Amino acid sequence: MAKSYADLLREAREQIPEVTPAAADGLRDGRGALIVDVREDEEWDAGHVPGAAHISKSYIEQRIEDAAPGRDRPIVLYCAGGVRSLFAAQTLAAMGYTDVTSMLGGFQRWKAEGREIAMPVALTSEQKIRYSRHLLMPEVGAEGQAKLLGSKVLLIGAGGLGSSAALYLAAAGVGTIGIIDFDVVDLSNLQRQVIHANDRIGERKTESARRTINALNPDVNVLLHDEMLIAANVERVIAGYDVIVDGTDTFETRYLLNDAAIALRIPVVHASVFRFEGQLTAFVPYEGPCYRCLYPTPPPPEMAPGCSVAGVLGVVPGIMGLLQANEAIKLLLGIGDSLAGRLVLFDALDASFTELRLRRDPDCPVCSDAAVAARAAGTPLAVPAFGADAPFVLGGGLGAGAVAGGGA
Amino acid sequence: MSRVWIPHVLRAAAGGIKQLELEGETVGELVRALADAHPSVGAQLFTEAGELNRFVNVYVNGQDVRYLDGLDTPVSAHDEVRLLPAMAGGRDEGMRDRDVR
């Protein structure tokens, strides 16, 4: 027997419970319900329920499982007036979702009741294509992409670690990438520093990195800090960045950066490399340990030779830099489990990863509660001073302060 | 016997080996056994006063011994002990590079 639209609508109403916008609002806050907007892109772009997922009705079967893997999570669907959401809800019920409702009166009624509205980020049509693989994933989506575009990441060093990190952060659409490096491109860099190029030997690394980044993604605003990171400028340089990707290898810079980033509450994604081996962790202020918790004092230089002395397999900083970019993106988006409190060791010869647990030092002179209180009182705790006599400082005027700011 | 992993940075001093099986009841005994077997590794691990240098961390099965019982942390057969000194990273600052060239 042929059915009319009215028949189908009546059947849907009989099958699917409807909730008022007020009730939907309550479900959203109270029961961890997923609100799904099933309208078309242009309707969504004109405003939507805050926190809602957007899956247009034509894609509901294909994409709902990504957004709601569990079949018993409460789901509220809405459209403009409350009809399309009823039919979409029937589909979800047929797929085995057990708690699906449709919002009465749809977004029009939500809006008429004066409820909060989120204006989606206006991605340009070019951005929608460029970032389409991100937009497809609910963990990123348009909101996450907008977050990335509005984010600022500082790379300490445009070297081996910074090269791969910068390329992928730029490709991902991190809107502002700052680079601090005072060095120039050298032929011996090109075995691993893939952001530079043969025809840029002798050029400033910052400028070379900017050219590569903007050739890949003109969305990215590249800020160049053509200077050394020193005590006098560290706070000015890092202020305003959301995440710092640390590709330094002088201990003085590392401690300097650590102390300033803790004070300004900026997470530092740290990596270091040696020959066939890399280490990676995230120093998230007050959530996990800081660099001083891990290593209160630096090693003497003979126990911490750099790549130009010890050598490094070119892919190792590339791999570690990519893992840094991964951590930075997770921190910016607030997704996944960060590496705060975990150190990952990568061994290229074994092709193995090993994880070690790190802890906050309750007596840390920089990130312990006592240290925070002391700073607030204007009397910061003493930290080990790394002056001219510090064991890691090179002699002959090549103090760590003079070379800090280069990159791995 | 517990397995002690030597980080790359110390391997040259340990004759190129990556890991070795050592006998000991505690972390301290193992590390000292390592130092006895490879004195130049020992020289980099311990201070003159015989304390472990603070730029070297020791992990038993992934846990930092500083938050267990330090060098007195007991170890049993099949435990994995890792030494991890602070690593410089991939230095390429121009000044030292130019020095080396």
Side-chain angles (χ1 to χ4, degrees), chain B residues 39-82:
Chain B
S40 60
V41 174
Q44 301 190 60
L45 295 178
F46 290 102
T47 64
E48 284 176 17
E51 302 277 315
L52 200 59
N53 272 316
R54 277 309 289 113
F55 53 82
V56 180
N57 289 338
V58 183
Y59 300 83
V60 175
N61 300 329
Q63 299 287 337
D64 189 335
V65 300
R66 270 193 288 165
Y67 301 100
L68 301 171
D69 289 320
L71 291 180
D72 296 329
T73 304
V75 285
S76 48
H78 311 303
D79 277 350
E80 286 206 346
V81 176
R82 277 182 188 267

mmCIF file of all heavy atoms in Angstrom, chain B residues 39-82:
data_model
loop_
_atom_site.group_PDB
_atom_site.id
_atom_site.type_symbol
_atom_site.label_atom_id
_atom_site.label_comp_id
_atom_site.label_asym_id
_atom_site.label_seq_id
_atom_site.Cartn_x
_atom_site.Cartn_y
_atom_site.Cartn_z
ATOM 1 N N PRO B 39 84.351 0.135 34.013
ATOM 2 C CA PRO B 39 84.713 1.269 34.879
ATOM 3 C C PRO B 39 84.472 2.629 34.230
ATOM 4 O O PRO B 39 84.126 3.587 34.922
ATOM 5 C CB PRO B 39 86.208 1.040 35.145
ATOM 6 C CG PRO B 39 86.414 -0.423 34.929
ATOM 7 C CD PRO B 39 85.448 -0.829 33.864
ATOM 8 N N SER B 40 84.614 2.737 32.900
ATOM 9 C CA SER B 40 84.424 4.073 32.322
ATOM 10 C C SER B 40 82.944 4.457 32.294
ATOM 11 O O SER B 40 82.601 5.637 32.260
ATOM 12 C CB SER B 40 85.058 4.176 30.933
ATOM 13 O OG SER B 40 84.491 3.239 30.070
ATOM 14 N N VAL B 41 82.061 3.460 32.319
ATOM 15 C CA VAL B 41 80.635 3.779 32.492
ATOM 16 C C VAL B 41 80.418 4.257 33.923
ATOM 17 O O VAL B 41 79.746 5.272 34.169
ATOM 18 C CB VAL B 41 79.749 2.539 32.218
ATOM 19 C CG1 VAL B 41 78.291 2.841 32.554
ATOM 20 C CG2 VAL B 41 79.873 2.109 30.766
ATOM 21 N N GLY B 42 81.013 3.529 34.853
ATOM 22 C CA GLY B 42 80.866 3.873 36.267
ATOM 23 C C GLY B 42 81.289 5.295 36.543
ATOM 24 O O GLY B 42 80.619 6.022 37.291
ATOM 25 N N ALA B 43 82.381 5.713 35.896
ATOM 26 C CA ALA B 43 82.899 7.058 36.126
ATOM 27 C C ALA B 43 81.873 8.105 35.707
ATOM 28 O O ALA B 43 81.850 9.209 36.251
ATOM 29 C CB ALA B 43 84.195 7.255 35.350
ATOM 30 N N GLN B 44 81.027 7.765 34.739
ATOM 31 C CA GLN B 44 80.028 8.741 34.276
ATOM 32 C C GLN B 44 78.742 8.666 35.086
ATOM 33 O O GLN B 44 77.937 9.589 35.050
ATOM 34 C CB GLN B 44 79.720 8.494 32.786
ATOM 35 C CG GLN B 44 80.983 8.607 31.945
ATOM 36 C CD GLN B 44 80.673 8.602 30.465
ATOM 37 O OE1 GLN B 44 79.948 9.464 29.968
ATOM 38 N NE2 GLN B 44 81.231 7.650 29.745
ATOM 39 N N LEU B 45 78.557 7.545 35.792
ATOM 40 C CA LEU B 45 77.310 7.383 36.529
ATOM 41 C C LEU B 45 77.379 7.942 37.943
ATOM 42 O O LEU B 45 76.404 8.485 38.452
ATOM 43 C CB LEU B 45 76.922 5.897 36.606
ATOM 44 C CG LEU B 45 76.591 5.208 35.301
ATOM 45 C CD1 LEU B 45 76.277 3.738 35.555
ATOM 46 C CD2 LEU B 45 75.388 5.889 34.634
ATOM 47 N N PHE B 46 78.555 7.749 38.573
ATOM 48 C CA PHE B 46 78.641 8.091 39.991
ATOM 49 C C PHE B 46 79.481 9.338 40.233
ATOM 50 O O PHE B 46 80.420 9.625 39.500
ATOM 51 C CB PHE B 46 79.271 6.911 40.767
ATOM 52 C CG PHE B 46 78.368 5.718 40.838
ATOM 53 C CD1 PHE B 46 78.571 4.619 40.009
ATOM 54 C CD2 PHE B 46 77.306 5.698 41.725
ATOM 55 C CE1 PHE B 46 77.732 3.522 40.066
ATOM 56 C CE2 PHE B 46 76.464 4.594 41.790
ATOM 57 C CZ PHE B 46 76.676 3.506 40.956
ATOM 58 N N THR B 47 79.121 10.051 41.291
ATOM 59 C CA THR B 47 79.953 11.167 41.737
ATOM 60 C C THR B 47 81.170 10.582 42.458
ATOM 61 O O THR B 47 81.216 9.377 42.738
ATOM 62 C CB THR B 47 79.200 12.069 42.729
ATOM 63 O OG1 THR B 47 78.925 11.285 43.908
ATOM 64 C CG2 THR B 47 77.899 12.563 42.131
ATOM 65 N N GLU B 48 82.111 11.458 42.773
ATOM 66 C CA GLU B 48 83.293 10.978 43.508
ATOM 67 C C GLU B 48 82.891 10.414 44.852
ATOM 68 O O GLU B 48 83.542 9.526 45.390
ATOM 69 C CB GLU B 48 84.301 12.120 43.673
ATOM 70 C CG GLU B 48 85.061 12.384 42.373
ATOM 71 C CD GLU B 48 85.998 13.571 42.474
ATOM 72 O OE1 GLU B 48 86.312 13.998 43.596
ATOM 73 O OE2 GLU B 48 86.406 14.058 41.410
ATOM 74 N N ALA B 49 81.793 10.934 45.401
ATOM 75 C CA ALA B 49 81.325 10.450 46.707
ATOM 76 C C ALA B 49 80.533 9.148 46.583
ATOM 77 O O ALA B 49 80.050 8.618 47.588
ATOM 78 C CB ALA B 49 80.465 11.527 47.363
ATOM 79 N N GLY B 50 80.401 8.638 45.355
ATOM 80 C CA GLY B 50 79.715 7.362 45.181
ATOM 81 C C GLY B 50 78.208 7.475 45.025
ATOM 82 O O GLY B 50 77.490 6.475 45.034
ATOM 83 N N GLU B 51 77.711 8.705 44.894
ATOM 84 C CA GLU B 51 76.280 8.899 44.665
ATOM 85 C C GLU B 51 76.013 8.845 43.158
ATOM 86 O O GLU B 51 76.877 9.210 42.354
ATOM 87 C CB GLU B 51 75.852 10.286 45.164
ATOM 88 C CG GLU B 51 76.116 10.552 46.630
ATOM 89 C CD GLU B 51 75.013 9.983 47.499
ATOM 90 O OE1 GLU B 51 73.836 10.172 47.139
ATOM 91 O OE2 GLU B 51 75.328 9.312 48.500
ATOM 92 N N LEU B 52 74.802 8.452 42.824
ATOM 93 C CA LEU B 52 74.431 8.477 41.404
ATOM 94 C C LEU B 52 74.306 9.936 40.968
ATOM 95 O O LEU B 52 73.692 10.745 41.661
ATOM 96 C CB LEU B 52 73.086 7.764 41.250
ATOM 97 C CG LEU B 52 72.706 7.252 39.873
ATOM 98 C CD1 LEU B 52 73.734 6.244 39.355
ATOM 99 C CD2 LEU B 52 71.330 6.615 39.933
ATOM 100 N N ASN B 53 74.889 10.281 39.816
ATOM 101 C CA ASN B 53 74.769 11.646 39.315
ATOM 102 C C ASN B 53 73.307 12.010 39.080
ATOM 103 O O ASN B 53 72.515 11.181 38.639
ATOM 104 C CB ASN B 53 75.540 11.785 37.989
ATOM 105 C CG ASN B 53 76.988 12.144 38.212
ATOM 106 O OD1 ASN B 53 77.312 13.008 39.027
ATOM 107 N ND2 ASN B 53 77.874 11.468 37.501
ATOM 108 N N ARG B 54 72.968 13.290 39.341
ATOM 109 C CA ARG B 54 71.563 13.702 39.207
ATOM 110 C C ARG B 54 71.112 13.863 37.758
ATOM 111 O O ARG B 54 69.929 14.050 37.500
ATOM 112 C CB ARG B 54 71.304 14.976 40.027
ATOM 113 C CG ARG B 54 71.036 14.722 41.478
ATOM 114 C CD ARG B 54 69.949 13.658 41.676
ATOM 115 N NE ARG B 54 68.621 14.149 41.295
ATOM 116 C CZ ARG B 54 67.909 13.721 40.288
ATOM 117 N NH1 ARG B 54 68.365 12.784 39.467
ATOM 118 N NH2 ARG B 54 66.735 14.217 40.060
ATOM 119 N N PHE B 55 72.054 13.810 36.818
ATOM 120 C CA PHE B 55 71.623 13.868 35.418
ATOM 121 C C PHE B 55 71.448 12.475 34.834
ATOM 122 O O PHE B 55 71.283 12.318 33.636
ATOM 123 C CB PHE B 55 72.596 14.704 34.573
ATOM 124 C CG PHE B 55 74.030 14.253 34.692
ATOM 125 C CD1 PHE B 55 74.501 13.193 33.942
ATOM 126 C CD2 PHE B 55 74.892 14.896 35.569
ATOM 127 C CE1 PHE B 55 75.805 12.760 34.063
ATOM 128 C CE2 PHE B 55 76.207 14.473 35.687
ATOM 129 C CZ PHE B 55 76.666 13.401 34.938
ATOM 130 N N VAL B 56 71.498 11.472 35.715
ATOM 131 C CA VAL B 56 71.226 10.107 35.260
ATOM 132 C C VAL B 56 70.012 9.593 36.035
ATOM 133 O O VAL B 56 70.003 9.602 37.267
ATOM 134 C CB VAL B 56 72.421 9.168 35.554
ATOM 135 C CG1 VAL B 56 72.099 7.753 35.079
ATOM 136 C CG2 VAL B 56 73.685 9.678 34.880
ATOM 137 N N ASN B 57 68.989 9.196 35.331
ATOM 138 C CA ASN B 57 67.835 8.590 35.979
ATOM 139 C C ASN B 57 67.871 7.085 35.758
ATOM 140 O O ASN B 57 68.350 6.607 34.727
ATOM 141 C CB ASN B 57 66.534 9.155 35.419
ATOM 142 C CG ASN B 57 66.311 10.593 35.852
ATOM 143 O OD1 ASN B 57 66.861 11.047 36.861
ATOM 144 N ND2 ASN B 57 65.525 11.328 35.088
ATOM 145 N N VAL B 58 67.372 6.362 36.758
ATOM 146 C CA VAL B 58 67.335 4.907 36.669
ATOM 147 C C VAL B 58 65.880 4.459 36.812
ATOM 148 O O VAL B 58 65.161 4.933 37.701
ATOM 149 C CB VAL B 58 68.188 4.246 37.775
ATOM 150 C CG1 VAL B 58 68.182 2.730 37.605
ATOM 151 C CG2 VAL B 58 69.616 4.780 37.740
ATOM 152 N N TYR B 59 65.462 3.607 35.910
ATOM 153 C CA TYR B 59 64.081 3.130 35.906
ATOM 154 C C TYR B 59 64.063 1.614 36.053
ATOM 155 O O TYR B 59 64.851 0.914 35.416
ATOM 156 C CB TYR B 59 63.385 3.508 34.597
ATOM 157 C CG TYR B 59 63.337 5.001 34.365
ATOM 158 C CD1 TYR B 59 64.430 5.672 33.815
ATOM 159 C CD2 TYR B 59 62.215 5.744 34.724
ATOM 160 C CE1 TYR B 59 64.399 7.044 33.619
ATOM 161 C CE2 TYR B 59 62.178 7.124 34.533
ATOM 162 C CZ TYR B 59 63.274 7.770 33.972
ATOM 163 O OH TYR B 59 63.247 9.122 33.789
ATOM 164 N N VAL B 60 63.192 1.129 36.912
ATOM 165 C CA VAL B 60 62.968 -0.313 37.007
ATOM 166 C C VAL B 60 61.580 -0.580 36.451
ATOM 167 O O VAL B 60 60.589 -0.021 36.956
ATOM 168 C CB VAL B 60 63.058 -0.814 38.469
ATOM 169 C CG1 VAL B 60 62.706 -2.293 38.535
ATOM 170 C CG2 VAL B 60 64.455 -0.582 39.014
ATOM 171 N N ASN B 61 61.528 -1.360 35.419
ATOM 172 C CA ASN B 61 60.258 -1.646 34.740
ATOM 173 C C ASN B 61 59.474 -0.364 34.462
ATOM 174 O O ASN B 61 58.268 -0.286 34.691
ATOM 175 C CB ASN B 61 59.411 -2.621 35.568
ATOM 176 C CG ASN B 61 60.123 -3.935 35.772
ATOM 177 O OD1 ASN B 61 60.906 -4.367 34.926
ATOM 178 N ND2 ASN B 61 59.887 -4.576 36.913
ATOM 179 N N GLY B 62 60.199 0.653 33.993
ATOM 180 C CA GLY B 62 59.538 1.890 33.576
ATOM 181 C C GLY B 62 59.276 2.883 34.695
ATOM 182 O O GLY B 62 58.779 3.970 34.445
ATOM 183 N N GLN B 63 59.578 2.516 35.954
ATOM 184 C CA GLN B 63 59.326 3.432 37.078
ATOM 185 C C GLN B 63 60.645 4.020 37.575
ATOM 186 O O GLN B 63 61.615 3.299 37.790
ATOM 187 C CB GLN B 63 58.644 2.681 38.238
ATOM 188 C CG GLN B 63 57.294 2.087 37.891
ATOM 189 C CD GLN B 63 56.200 3.140 37.759
ATOM 190 O OE1 GLN B 63 56.291 4.237 38.299
ATOM 191 N NE2 GLN B 63 55.164 2.803 36.999
ATOM 192 N N ASP B 64 60.643 5.326 37.778
ATOM 193 C CA ASP B 64 61.827 6.042 38.260
ATOM 194 C C ASP B 64 62.135 5.594 39.704
ATOM 195 O O ASP B 64 61.284 5.727 40.585
ATOM 196 C CB ASP B 64 61.517 7.544 38.219
ATOM 197 C CG ASP B 64 62.739 8.404 38.481
ATOM 198 O OD1 ASP B 64 63.694 7.929 39.133
ATOM 199 O OD2 ASP B 64 62.728 9.572 38.046
ATOM 200 N N VAL B 65 63.355 5.115 39.939
ATOM 201 C CA VAL B 65 63.667 4.594 41.284
ATOM 202 C C VAL B 65 63.684 5.697 42.338
ATOM 203 O O VAL B 65 63.583 5.413 43.532
ATOM 204 C CB VAL B 65 65.012 3.815 41.338
ATOM 205 C CG1 VAL B 65 64.972 2.631 40.388
ATOM 206 C CG2 VAL B 65 66.199 4.717 41.046
ATOM 207 N N ARG B 66 63.787 6.960 41.898
ATOM 208 C CA ARG B 66 63.726 8.045 42.884
ATOM 209 C C ARG B 66 62.419 8.004 43.657
ATOM 210 O O ARG B 66 62.328 8.484 44.784
ATOM 211 C CB ARG B 66 63.801 9.406 42.174
ATOM 212 C CG ARG B 66 65.191 9.935 42.006
ATOM 213 C CD ARG B 66 65.128 11.395 41.595
ATOM 214 N NE ARG B 66 64.675 11.550 40.220
ATOM 215 C CZ ARG B 66 64.262 12.718 39.719
ATOM 216 N NH1 ARG B 66 64.216 13.789 40.474
ATOM 217 N NH2 ARG B 66 63.890 12.801 38.455
ATOM 218 N N TYR B 67 61.361 7.490 42.991
ATOM 219 C CA TYR B 67 60.053 7.448 43.643
ATOM 220 C C TYR B 67 59.744 6.048 44.148
ATOM 221 O O TYR B 67 58.636 5.745 44.547
ATOM 222 C CB TYR B 67 58.975 7.977 42.693
ATOM 223 C CG TYR B 67 59.292 9.389 42.296
ATOM 224 C CD1 TYR B 67 59.886 9.676 41.074
ATOM 225 C CD2 TYR B 67 59.071 10.438 43.189
ATOM 226 C CE1 TYR B 67 60.227 10.973 40.738
ATOM 227 C CE2 TYR B 67 59.410 11.738 42.863
ATOM 228 C CZ TYR B 67 59.986 12.002 41.632
ATOM 229 O OH TYR B 67 60.333 13.291 41.318
ATOM 230 N N LEU B 68 60.750 5.177 44.085
ATOM 231 C CA LEU B 68 60.639 3.871 44.748
ATOM 232 C C LEU B 68 61.577 3.981 45.958
ATOM 233 O O LEU B 68 61.438 4.896 46.745
ATOM 234 C CB LEU B 68 61.016 2.754 43.766
ATOM 235 C CG LEU B 68 60.140 2.699 42.494
ATOM 236 C CD1 LEU B 68 60.693 1.731 41.467
ATOM 237 C CD2 LEU B 68 58.706 2.331 42.844
ATOM 238 N N ASP B 69 62.544 3.114 46.049
ATOM 239 C CA ASP B 69 63.469 3.218 47.181
ATOM 240 C C ASP B 69 64.865 3.607 46.733
ATOM 241 O O ASP B 69 65.859 3.203 47.340
ATOM 242 C CB ASP B 69 63.509 1.884 47.947
ATOM 243 C CG ASP B 69 62.214 1.648 48.707
ATOM 244 O OD1 ASP B 69 61.688 2.628 49.267
ATOM 245 O OD2 ASP B 69 61.728 0.505 48.730
ATOM 246 N N GLY B 70 64.941 4.375 45.661
ATOM 247 C CA GLY B 70 66.250 4.811 45.183
ATOM 248 C C GLY B 70 67.119 3.614 44.840
ATOM 249 O O GLY B 70 66.627 2.598 44.318
ATOM 250 N N LEU B 71 68.395 3.719 45.157
ATOM 251 C CA LEU B 71 69.319 2.621 44.839
ATOM 252 C C LEU B 71 69.025 1.376 45.675
ATOM 253 O O LEU B 71 69.491 0.285 45.356
ATOM 254 C CB LEU B 71 70.773 3.073 45.048
ATOM 255 C CG LEU B 71 71.283 4.122 44.039
ATOM 256 C CD1 LEU B 71 72.727 4.502 44.341
ATOM 257 C CD2 LEU B 71 71.169 3.622 42.595
ATOM 258 N N ASP B 72 68.229 1.531 46.730
ATOM 259 C CA ASP B 72 67.870 0.359 47.547
ATOM 260 C C ASP B 72 66.655 -0.377 46.986
ATOM 261 O O ASP B 72 66.213 -1.379 47.559
ATOM 262 C CB ASP B 72 67.550 0.801 48.985
ATOM 263 C CG ASP B 72 68.769 1.396 49.668
ATOM 264 O OD1 ASP B 72 69.899 0.961 49.332
ATOM 265 O OD2 ASP B 72 68.607 2.295 50.524
ATOM 266 N N THR B 73 66.105 0.122 45.901
ATOM 267 C CA THR B 73 64.936 -0.542 45.316
ATOM 268 C C THR B 73 65.279 -1.991 44.964
ATOM 269 O O THR B 73 66.249 -2.244 44.252
ATOM 270 C CB THR B 73 64.496 0.193 44.026
ATOM 271 O OG1 THR B 73 64.251 1.558 44.353
ATOM 272 C CG2 THR B 73 63.257 -0.430 43.416
ATOM 273 N N PRO B 74 64.512 -2.921 45.500
ATOM 274 C CA PRO B 74 64.824 -4.330 45.205
ATOM 275 C C PRO B 74 64.510 -4.679 43.756
ATOM 276 O O PRO B 74 63.575 -4.127 43.159
ATOM 277 C CB PRO B 74 63.911 -5.108 46.157
ATOM 278 C CG PRO B 74 62.830 -4.155 46.544
ATOM 279 C CD PRO B 74 63.382 -2.767 46.411
ATOM 280 N N VAL B 75 65.314 -5.559 43.199
ATOM 281 C CA VAL B 75 65.038 -6.050 41.847
ATOM 282 C C VAL B 75 64.982 -7.561 41.885
ATOM 283 O O VAL B 75 65.660 -8.205 42.692
ATOM 284 C CB VAL B 75 66.110 -5.607 40.822
ATOM 285 C CG1 VAL B 75 65.952 -4.146 40.460
ATOM 286 C CG2 VAL B 75 67.511 -5.879 41.326
ATOM 287 N N SER B 76 64.171 -8.122 41.025
ATOM 288 C CA SER B 76 64.141 -9.578 40.954
ATOM 289 C C SER B 76 64.440 -10.000 39.519
ATOM 290 O O SER B 76 64.542 -9.162 38.617
ATOM 291 C CB SER B 76 62.783 -10.090 41.438
ATOM 292 O OG SER B 76 61.765 -9.363 40.811
ATOM 293 N N ALA B 77 64.557 -11.294 39.356
ATOM 294 C CA ALA B 77 64.869 -11.822 38.030
ATOM 295 C C ALA B 77 63.838 -11.309 37.035
ATOM 296 O O ALA B 77 62.672 -11.139 37.374
ATOM 297 C CB ALA B 77 64.849 -13.352 38.087
ATOM 298 N N HIS B 78 64.275 -11.046 35.836
ATOM 299 C CA HIS B 78 63.438 -10.595 34.726
ATOM 300 C C HIS B 78 63.037 -9.127 34.826
ATOM 301 O O HIS B 78 62.323 -8.643 33.968
ATOM 302 C CB HIS B 78 62.190 -11.467 34.557
ATOM 303 C CG HIS B 78 62.507 -12.936 34.553
ATOM 304 N ND1 HIS B 78 63.390 -13.494 33.652
ATOM 305 C CD2 HIS B 78 62.097 -13.944 35.358
ATOM 306 C CE1 HIS B 78 63.484 -14.788 33.907
ATOM 307 N NE2 HIS B 78 62.721 -15.091 34.939
ATOM 308 N N ASP B 79 63.449 -8.426 35.898
ATOM 309 C CA ASP B 79 63.181 -6.989 35.933
ATOM 310 C C ASP B 79 64.065 -6.317 34.888
ATOM 311 O O ASP B 79 65.178 -6.761 34.607
ATOM 312 C CB ASP B 79 63.495 -6.395 37.314
ATOM 313 C CG ASP B 79 62.334 -6.594 38.288
ATOM 314 O OD1 ASP B 79 61.258 -7.005 37.823
ATOM 315 O OD2 ASP B 79 62.525 -6.356 39.487
ATOM 316 N N GLU B 80 63.545 -5.234 34.339
ATOM 317 C CA GLU B 80 64.316 -4.476 33.362
ATOM 318 C C GLU B 80 64.754 -3.149 33.966
ATOM 319 O O GLU B 80 63.924 -2.380 34.439
ATOM 320 C CB GLU B 80 63.469 -4.186 32.116
ATOM 321 C CG GLU B 80 63.281 -5.416 31.272
ATOM 322 C CD GLU B 80 63.032 -5.064 29.810
ATOM 323 O OE1 GLU B 80 62.755 -3.880 29.520
ATOM 324 O OE2 GLU B 80 63.123 -5.979 28.980
ATOM 325 N N VAL B 81 66.035 -2.911 33.936
ATOM 326 C CA VAL B 81 66.586 -1.689 34.504
ATOM 327 C C VAL B 81 67.133 -0.847 33.362
ATOM 328 O O VAL B 81 67.878 -1.346 32.518
ATOM 329 C CB VAL B 81 67.704 -2.023 35.517
ATOM 330 C CG1 VAL B 81 68.360 -0.747 36.036
ATOM 331 C CG2 VAL B 81 67.131 -2.845 36.666
ATOM 332 N N ARG B 82 66.709 0.407 33.329
ATOM 333 C CA ARG B 82 67.199 1.315 32.281
ATOM 334 C C ARG B 82 67.883 2.509 32.895
ATOM 335 O O ARG B 82 67.380 3.109 33.840
ATOM 336 C CB ARG B 82 66.038 1.833 31.419
ATOM 337 C CG ARG B 82 65.663 0.873 30.346
ATOM 338 C CD ARG B 82 64.549 1.414 29.488
ATOM 339 N NE ARG B 82 64.120 0.338 28.604
ATOM 340 C CZ ARG B 82 64.595 0.148 27.373
ATOM 341 N NH1 ARG B 82 65.489 0.977 26.871
ATOM 342 N NH2 ARG B 82 64.183 -0.858 26.646
#
